[in-house]
Amino acid sequence: MITIDALAPADRPGWERLFAGYNAFYGRDTMPPGFYDKAWAEFQSGDRMHALGAKLDGNLVGIVHFFVHPSTTSADVCYLQDLFTSPEARGKGVARQLIAAVKDWATSQGCGQLYWHTKQDNHTARLLYDKVAENRGFIQYSIPLEP
């Protein structure tokens, strides 16, 4: 049985393990000091950024991070920034249920759209994404900024 809920303080070790796995997947093996503490504090306050966790048989096996931002052409939109499931939970519907939970949350907040990005070669995830969302063909450009 998969359950989806807000992350509780007791979920911190499992969340950090999953988020580290997500960052490693994208080639970010070493994060700056305080990175996980800052993100966790944001998710626990729930003011700007939000997080949900998926539990399978009581074990945290998936996480999703998301936030709302304004749009010039519609109601506010919800951006699903990070989605990760543990390797042993893949193929069991965890990611699908996390996406559905964010969709429900965004709908309840009056958002006009839910969207996310993934790498073009993330074929496994794209098999799911192509079933639950529309690929509109956008290409992302990015300029890193120094604070």
Side-chain angles (χ1 to χ4, degrees), residues 79-92:
Y79 178 60
L80 189 158
Q81 186 169 24
D82 311 317
L83 174 66
F84 190 76
T85 61
S86 62
E88 64 273 9
R90 294 185 186 145
K92 296 183 179 180

Side-chain angles (χ1 to χ4, degrees), residues 9-68:
D11 295 323
R12 169 70 192 258
W15 165 82
E16 192 166 326
R17 177 183 49 82
L18 290 167
F19 198 24
Y22 172 85
N23 285 309
F25 178 81
Y26 282 107
R28 299 182 296 253
D29 295 320
T30 304
M31 303 309 291
F35 171 82
Y36 291 103
D37 291 336
K38 181 179 183 242
W40 182 257
E42 285 277 3
F43 299 137
Q44 290 298 287
S45 77
D47 294 330
R48 296 182 331 134
M49 296 192 293
H50 310 280
L52 297 173
K55 291 184 179 177
L56 182 62
D57 300 324
N59 298 311
L60 189 64
V61 295
I63 56 172
V64 64
H65 305 147
F66 53 98
F67 58 88
V68 172

Side-chain angles (χ1 to χ4, degrees), residues 67-78:
F67 58 88
V68 172
H69 68 82
S71 170
T72 60
T73 58
S74 72
D76 288 352
V77 295
C78 183

